[in-house]
Amino acid sequence: MSGNAEFFDEMRQPDGSVRPAYSNYCKWYDEQDPKLLRRKHSEAETNFRKTGITFNVYGEDEAEERLIPFDMVPRVIDAREWRRLTRGIEQRVSALNAFMHDLYHRQEIVRAGRLPERLLRNNEAWLPNMVGFTPPGGVYTHIVGIDLVRTGPDEFFVLEDNARTPSGVSYMLENRETMMAMFPELFLRCQVESVSDYPRRLAKSLAACAPDCAGDKPVVAVLTPGIFNSAYFEHAFLADQMGAELVEGSDLRVVNGRVAMRTTRGYKAVDVIYRRVDDDFLDPLTFNSDSVLGVPGIMDVYRAGGVTIANAPGTGVCDDKAIYSFMPEIVEFYTGEKPLLPNVETWRCAEEDSLKYVLDNLAELVVKEVHGSGGYGMLVGPASTKKQIEEFRHKIVENPENYIAQPTLSLSTCPVFTKKGLAPRHVDLRPFVLVSPDKIDITPGGLTRVALEKGSLVVNSSQGGGTKDTWVLKD
């Protein structure tokens, strides 16, 4: 397998030689019996099936449970690259948190003319009932997933920010556990930073954000919509690993101005709720009155300082792709520095000149819905038929404000294991970031998603992508 000149190959140089980060891995790989590796590969799949790591795919005739394929060739990042990335991620996450505080208070960024007011006025994720309220410790975005793509040796870009309820961390943990169980000797050869203490770090970070009324040992609970949710496995897994209670809305109620959970000994006050329920379903008295997933009255307790909700309601604004297009301005406005991690070039269809450019170049661009997620509601121009492009053109013309466009990126490749040996496939990376009042903590690794189809650039699990173990090498 040699490097591909068109895309940056993370394992091999253009002349086919192995890059230093992968040298120990490649030496080990070349010593292995291919038959053994093939057996191990199918063992890994069986293991994932047994563990029950599945997710649901929506938008088909009916939601179906599907296994996310796991590829056993790790994605390796050296210590120097990782240091550079962490500096950029820290800067971006601290700017996001400052931005959230400003949006719900004086809106200085709008007054300064750096962000159009229409982006809030027309945004369902912006919650009027968060105005004037500061969450405990001033933290809005307790857990953030920053999606990164790479296009060259030192070229990393932020593809999107996930500040509402970023998922996928259970795959990061399970992928590492699977690799260590299958190839323990490999970890003796390669000095890899640990990710397994993420649940402990998460519990500690959430406890540090507890409200003033909490005791010395804050009580943390994970609020799940229930077993039919696509990420239920992850909710249960994290609660178990953190030593926290896993609760549904029906297990909680407001008692004496606190949110309390039902136990065998009556109701017990909860200090921090790590919620995996969307804003709209959190409180039927405040938001969607039909919701049975939330807790009636939780928002009143929250605004009175009686509970911490992580992430804070209203943080979904940060996931908005029109807001994303202003992130360079946002980072500079709140940190006084130029962004260390650049955005992908983005055209806002709401602006006349951009709209004209996008409509003239649809076949070359990737077009996304401003509020879309999971790879749904998007057009990948180069991979679409003329008919699909024309259908999408009508959608954009009818509602330009709802779309942004980006160039088709030359995503870097990492090798995957195939029956014929190693072959390059496109990847992205979601590092997970924990924010507490005095600390931004980035786990050394993250979730590498990989497009398993040859030539495909879509890495989303709902669209047939897989995952890899992500190694950050020690110095």
Side-chain angles (χ1 to χ4, degrees), residues 287-305:
F287 304 116
N288 182 345
S289 56
D290 297 334
S291 172
V292 290
L293 303 175
V295 186
I298 190 173
M299 282 301 288
D300 289 341
V301 176
Y302 180 53
R303 285 191 60 108

Side-chain angles (χ1 to χ4, degrees), residues 215-260:
D216 293 343
K217 283 195 168 177
V219 176
V220 177
V222 178
L223 174 62
T224 176
I227 57 170
F228 298 109
N229 182 269
S230 64
Y232 178 74
F233 167 83
E234 180 160 295
H235 309 163
F237 177 87
L238 285 175
D240 180 50
Q241 297 276 311
M242 276 200 291
E245 293 295 331
L246 180 68
V247 295
E248 293 184 29
S250 54
D251 299 319
L252 300 173
R253 65 164 55 167
V254 173
V255 180
N256 301 327
R258 299 291 306 277
V259 176

Side-chain angles (χ1 to χ4, degrees), residues 92 99 109 113-116 118-119 320-333 343 346 348 351:
R92 194 167 177 109
F99 173 56
I109 195 166
R114 305 291 289 276
L115 188 81
R118 67 175 167 79
L119 291 185
D320 186 286
K321 291 178 181 65
I323 295 280
Y324 160 89
S325 71
F326 285 93
M327 275 308 289
E329 289 89 339
I330 289 169
V331 169
E332 203 171 330
F333 189 81
N343 260 21
T346 303
R348 299 185 273 264
E351 294 165 11

Side-chain angles (χ1 to χ4, degrees), residues 98-283:
F99 173 56
M100 290 313 305
H101 185 274
D102 186 25
L103 280 197
Y104 289 113
H105 291 80
R106 288 184 53 81
Q107 298 193 352
E108 299 288 0
I109 195 166
V110 176
R111 293 172 187 224
R114 305 291 289 276
L115 188 81
E117 198 256 339
R118 67 175 167 79
L119 291 185
L120 306 180
R121 192 175 58 240
N122 303 338
N123 199 321
E124 284 179 14
W126 188 80
L127 301 180
N129 25 10
M130 285 296 288
V131 170
F133 170 68
T134 303
V139 178
Y140 286 81
T141 54
H142 304 78
I143 299 112
V144 187
I146 303 286
D147 288 356
L148 302 172
V149 291
R150 187 177 195 176
T151 57
D154 294 310
E155 290 163 344
F156 284 90
F157 293 88
V158 177
L159 188 61
E160 60 184 47
D161 303 287
N162 297 279
R164 194 186 317 232
T165 47
S167 64
V169 80
S170 57
Y171 298 99
M172 171 183 86
L173 298 166
E174 285 288 349
N175 288 355
R176 175 63 53 86
E177 204 170 293
T178 301
M179 285 294 284
M180 290 182 88
M182 287 200 304
F183 309 114
E185 74 286 357
L186 186 47
F187 289 86
L188 296 173
R189 280 208 198 181
C190 304
Q191 298 303 300
V192 182
E193 295 278 6
S194 170
V195 295
S196 58
D197 59 348
Y198 174 85
R200 186 185 59 78
R201 289 156 85 158
L202 173 61
K204 196 175 165 188
S205 189
L206 289 173
C209 298
D212 293 340
C213 57
D216 293 343
K217 283 195 168 177
V219 176
V220 177
V222 178
L223 174 62
T224 176
I227 57 170
F228 298 109
N229 182 269
S230 64
Y232 178 74
F233 167 83
E234 180 160 295
H235 309 163
F237 177 87
L238 285 175
D240 180 50
Q241 297 276 311
M242 276 200 291
E245 293 295 331
L246 180 68
V247 295
E248 293 184 29
S250 54
D251 299 319
L252 300 173
R253 65 164 55 167
V254 173
V255 180
N256 301 327
R258 299 291 306 277
V259 176
M261 63 182 170
R262 188 167 43 193
T263 72
T264 48
R265 297 178 186 166
Y267 278 86
K268 179 183 178 181
V270 178
D271 302 306
V272 181
I273 295 176
Y274 174 22
R275 52 84 176 230
R276 298 294 291 261
V277 169
D278 288 343
D279 289 353
D280 206 24
F281 300 104
L282 256 181
D283 185 343

Side-chain angles (χ1 to χ4, degrees), residues 157-158 324 342-347 357 404-407 409:
F157 293 88
V158 177
Y324 160 89
N343 260 21
V344 175
E345 187 180 7
T346 303
W347 291 276
Y357 177 83
I404 54 111
Q406 293 169 334
L409 292 176

